[in-house]
Coordinates of all heavy atoms in Angstrom, one line a residue:
I570 N 185.1 -58.5 -42.1 CA 185.2 -58.2 -43.5 C 184.7 -56.8 -43.9 O 183.5 -56.5 -43.5 CB 184.5 -59.3 -44.4 CG1 185.0 -60.7 -44.1 CG2 184.7 -59.0 -45.9 CD1 184.0 -61.7 -44.2
Y571 N 185.5 -56.0 -44.5 CA 185.2 -54.6 -44.8 C 184.3 -54.6 -46.1 O 184.6 -55.3 -47.1 CB 186.4 -53.8 -45.1 CG 186.2 -52.4 -45.6 CD1 185.7 -51.4 -44.7 CD2 186.4 -52.0 -46.9 CE1 185.4 -50.1 -45.2 CE2 186.2 -50.8 -47.4 CZ 185.7 -49.8 -46.5 OH 185.4 -48.5 -47.0
I572 N 183.2 -53.9 -46.1 CA 182.3 -53.8 -47.2 C 182.2 -52.3 -47.7 O 181.7 -51.5 -46.9 CB 180.9 -54.3 -46.9 CG1 180.9 -55.7 -46.2 CG2 180.0 -54.4 -48.2 CD1 181.4 -56.8 -47.0
P573 N 182.7 -52.0 -48.9 CA 182.6 -50.6 -49.4 C 181.1 -50.2 -49.6 O 180.3 -51.1 -49.7 CB 183.4 -50.6 -50.7 CG 184.2 -51.9 -50.6 CD 183.4 -52.8 -49.8
R574 N 180.9 -49.0 -49.7 CA 179.5 -48.4 -49.9 C 178.7 -49.1 -51.0 O 177.6 -49.5 -50.8 CB 179.6 -46.9 -50.1 CG 178.2 -46.3 -50.1 CD 178.3 -44.8 -50.2 NE 177.0 -44.1 -50.1 CZ 176.8 -42.8 -50.1 NH1 177.9 -42.0 -50.1 NH2 175.6 -42.3 -50.0
G575 N 179.3 -49.2 -52.2 CA 178.6 -49.7 -53.3 C 178.5 -51.2 -53.4 O 178.0 -51.8 -54.4
K576 N 178.9 -51.9 -52.3 CA 178.9 -53.4 -52.4 C 178.0 -54.0 -51.3 O 178.2 -55.2 -50.9 CB 180.4 -53.9 -52.1 CG 181.4 -53.3 -53.0 CD 181.5 -54.0 -54.4 CE 182.7 -53.5 -55.2 NZ 182.7 -54.1 -56.5
M577 N 177.0 -53.2 -50.9 CA 176.2 -53.7 -49.7 C 174.8 -54.3 -50.1 O 174.1 -54.8 -49.3 CB 176.0 -52.6 -48.7 CG 177.3 -52.4 -47.9 SD 177.1 -51.5 -46.4 CE 177.3 -49.8 -47.0
K578 N 174.4 -54.2 -51.4 CA 173.2 -54.8 -51.9 C 172.0 -54.5 -51.1 O 171.2 -55.4 -50.8 CB 173.4 -56.3 -52.1 CG 172.5 -56.9 -53.1 CD 172.7 -58.4 -53.3 CE 171.8 -58.9 -54.4 NZ 172.0 -60.4 -54.7
K579 N 171.8 -53.3 -50.6 CA 170.6 -52.9 -49.9 C 170.4 -53.6 -48.6 O 169.3 -53.7 -48.0 CB 169.4 -52.9 -50.7 CG 169.4 -52.0 -51.9 CD 168.1 -52.1 -52.7 CE 168.1 -51.1 -53.9 NZ 166.9 -51.2 -54.7
A580 N 171.4 -54.3 -48.1 CA 171.3 -55.0 -46.8 C 171.2 -54.0 -45.7 O 171.9 -53.0 -45.7 CB 172.5 -55.9 -46.6
Q581 N 170.4 -54.4 -44.7 CA 170.1 -53.5 -43.6 C 171.1 -53.9 -42.4 O 171.5 -55.0 -42.3 CB 168.7 -53.6 -43.1 CG 167.7 -53.2 -44.2 CD 167.9 -51.8 -44.7 OE1 168.0 -50.8 -43.9 NE2 168.1 -51.6 -46.0
N582 N 171.3 -52.9 -41.5 CA 172.1 -53.2 -40.3 C 171.5 -54.3 -39.5 O 170.3 -54.4 -39.3 CB 172.1 -51.9 -39.5 CG 173.1 -52.1 -38.3 OD1 174.2 -52.4 -38.5 ND2 172.6 -51.8 -37.1
G583 N 172.4 -55.2 -39.1 CA 172.0 -56.4 -38.3 C 171.4 -57.6 -39.1 O 171.1 -58.6 -38.5
E584 N 171.4 -57.5 -40.4 CA 170.9 -58.6 -41.2 C 172.0 -59.7 -41.5 O 173.2 -59.3 -41.5 CB 170.3 -58.1 -42.6 CG 169.0 -57.5 -42.4 CD 168.2 -57.3 -43.7 OE1 168.8 -56.7 -44.7 OE2 167.1 -57.7 -43.9
L585 N 171.6 -60.9 -41.7 CA 172.5 -62.0 -42.0 C 172.7 -61.9 -43.5 O 171.8 -61.9 -44.3 CB 171.8 -63.3 -41.6 CG 172.6 -64.6 -41.7 CD1 173.8 -64.6 -40.6 CD2 171.8 -65.8 -41.4
V586 N 174.0 -61.9 -43.9 CA 174.3 -61.8 -45.3 C 175.4 -62.8 -45.7 O 176.1 -63.3 -44.9 CB 174.8 -60.3 -45.6 CG1 173.7 -59.3 -45.4 CG2 176.1 -60.0 -44.8
V587 N 175.5 -63.0 -47.1 CA 176.6 -63.8 -47.6 C 177.5 -62.8 -48.4 O 177.1 -62.0 -49.2 CB 176.0 -64.8 -48.6 CG1 177.2 -65.7 -49.2 CG2 175.0 -65.7 -48.0
V588 N 178.8 -62.9 -48.1 CA 179.8 -62.1 -48.6 C 180.8 -62.9 -49.5 O 181.2 -64.0 -49.2 CB 180.7 -61.4 -47.5 CG1 181.8 -60.5 -48.1 CG2 179.8 -60.6 -46.6
S589 N 181.1 -62.3 -50.7 CA 182.1 -62.9 -51.6 C 183.4 -62.0 -51.4 O 183.4 -60.8 -51.5 CB 181.6 -62.8 -53.0 OG 182.7 -63.3 -53.9
I590 N 184.5 -62.7 -51.0 CA 185.7 -62.0 -50.7 C 186.5 -61.9 -52.0 O 186.8 -62.8 -52.7 CB 186.5 -62.7 -49.6 CG1 185.7 -62.7 -48.3 CG2 187.9 -62.1 -49.4 CD1 186.4 -63.5 -47.2
Y591 N 187.0 -60.6 -52.2 CA 187.9 -60.4 -53.4 C 189.3 -59.9 -53.0 O 190.2 -59.9 -53.8 CB 187.3 -59.5 -54.4 CG 186.8 -58.1 -53.9 CD1 187.7 -57.1 -53.6 CD2 185.4 -57.9 -53.6 CE1 187.3 -55.9 -53.1 CE2 185.0 -56.7 -53.2 CZ 185.9 -55.7 -52.9 OH 185.5 -54.4 -52.4
F592 N 189.4 -59.5 -51.7 CA 190.8 -59.2 -51.2 C 190.9 -59.8 -49.8 O 190.0 -59.6 -48.9 CB 190.9 -57.6 -51.1 CG 192.1 -57.2 -50.4 CD1 193.4 -57.4 -50.9 CD2 192.0 -56.5 -49.1 CE1 194.5 -57.0 -50.2 CE2 193.2 -56.1 -48.4 CZ 194.4 -56.4 -49.0
W593 N 191.9 -60.6 -49.6 CA 192.0 -61.4 -48.4 C 192.7 -60.7 -47.2 O 192.8 -61.2 -46.1 CB 192.8 -62.7 -48.6 CG 192.0 -63.6 -49.5 CD1 192.0 -63.7 -50.8 CD2 191.0 -64.5 -49.0 NE1 191.1 -64.6 -51.3 CE2 190.4 -65.1 -50.2 CE3 190.4 -64.8 -47.8 CZ2 189.4 -66.1 -50.1 CZ3 189.4 -65.7 -47.7 CH2 188.9 -66.4 -48.9
G594 N 193.1 -59.4 -47.4 CA 193.7 -58.7 -46.3 C 195.2 -58.9 -46.2 O 195.8 -59.8 -46.8
D595 N 195.8 -58.0 -45.4 CA 197.2 -58.1 -45.1 C 197.5 -57.6 -43.7 O 196.6 -57.5 -42.9 CB 198.1 -57.4 -46.2 CG 197.6 -55.9 -46.3 OD1 197.1 -55.3 -45.3 OD2 197.7 -55.4 -47.5
K596 N 198.7 -57.3 -43.4 CA 199.1 -56.8 -42.0 C 198.3 -55.6 -41.6 O 198.0 -55.4 -40.5 CB 200.6 -56.6 -41.9 CG 201.4 -57.8 -41.9 CD 202.9 -57.5 -41.7 CE 203.7 -58.8 -41.7 NZ 205.2 -58.5 -41.6
D597 N 198.0 -54.7 -42.6 CA 197.4 -53.4 -42.3 C 195.9 -53.3 -42.6 O 195.2 -52.5 -42.1 CB 198.2 -52.3 -43.1 CG 199.7 -52.3 -42.8 OD1 200.0 -52.4 -41.6 OD2 200.4 -52.3 -43.8
R598 N 195.4 -54.2 -43.5 CA 194.0 -54.1 -43.9 C 193.2 -55.4 -43.7 O 193.8 -56.4 -43.8 CB 194.0 -53.7 -45.4 CG 194.5 -52.3 -45.7 CD 194.8 -52.2 -47.2 NE 193.6 -52.3 -48.0 CZ 193.6 -52.5 -49.3 NH1 194.7 -52.7 -50.0 NH2 192.4 -52.6 -50.0
K599 N 192.0 -55.2 -43.4 CA 191.1 -56.3 -43.2 C 190.7 -56.9 -44.6 O 190.9 -56.2 -45.6 CB 189.7 -55.9 -42.6 CG 189.9 -55.5 -41.1 CD 188.5 -55.0 -40.6 CE 188.6 -54.7 -39.1 NZ 188.7 -55.8 -38.2
P600 N 190.2 -58.1 -44.6 CA 189.7 -58.7 -45.9 C 188.6 -57.8 -46.4 O 187.9 -57.1 -45.6 CB 189.2 -60.1 -45.5 CG 189.9 -60.4 -44.2 CD 190.1 -59.1 -43.5
E601 N 188.3 -57.8 -47.7 CA 187.3 -56.9 -48.3 C 186.4 -57.8 -49.2 O 186.9 -58.7 -49.9 CB 188.0 -55.8 -49.1 CG 187.2 -54.6 -49.4 CD 188.0 -53.5 -49.9 OE1 189.0 -53.0 -49.2 OE2 187.8 -53.0 -51.1
G602 N 185.1 -57.4 -49.2 CA 184.2 -58.2 -50.1 C 183.0 -57.5 -50.4 O 182.8 -56.3 -50.0
E603 N 182.1 -58.2 -51.1 CA 180.8 -57.6 -51.5 C 179.7 -58.5 -51.1 O 179.9 -59.8 -51.1 CB 180.7 -57.3 -53.0 CG 180.7 -58.5 -53.9 CD 180.5 -58.1 -55.3 OE1 179.6 -57.3 -55.6 OE2 181.2 -58.6 -56.2
I604 N 178.6 -58.0 -50.7 CA 177.4 -58.8 -50.3 C 176.7 -59.3 -51.5 O 176.4 -58.5 -52.4 CB 176.4 -57.9 -49.4 CG1 177.1 -57.6 -48.1 CG2 175.1 -58.7 -49.2 CD1 176.3 -56.6 -47.2
I605 N 176.6 -60.6 -51.6 CA 176.0 -61.2 -52.8 C 174.6 -61.8 -52.5 O 173.8 -62.1 -53.4 CB 176.8 -62.3 -53.4 CG1 177.1 -63.4 -52.4 CG2 178.1 -61.8 -54.0 CD1 177.8 -64.7 -52.9
E606 N 174.2 -61.9 -51.2 CA 172.9 -62.4 -50.9 C 172.5 -61.9 -49.5 O 173.4 -61.9 -48.6 CB 172.8 -63.9 -51.0 CG 171.4 -64.4 -50.8 CD 171.1 -65.7 -51.5 OE1 172.0 -66.2 -52.3 OE2 170.1 -66.3 -51.2

């Protein structure tokens, strides 16, 4: 799941996170979401 810069909620590399998906992806793009926890 792709996470844009402003949607990472200060999560650090390698941390376990919960993502809310708002775009499910298509043939060319991955699903997209934001970290909520």
Side-chain angles (χ1 to χ4, degrees):
I570 302 149
Y571 174 74
I572 312 293
R574 183 176 188 175
K576 307 280 187 183
M577 286 195 275
K578 203 177 182 179
K579 297 183 180 177
Q581 301 302 306
N582 185 53
E584 284 193 307
L585 190 65
V586 296
V587 183
V588 178
S589 177
I590 296 177
Y591 54 78
F592 171 67
W593 290 95
D595 52 31
K596 287 182 181 178
D597 306 312
R598 294 165 62 197
K599 289 179 179 288
E601 200 168 299
E603 66 173 316
I604 292 172
I605 58 170
E606 187 152 351

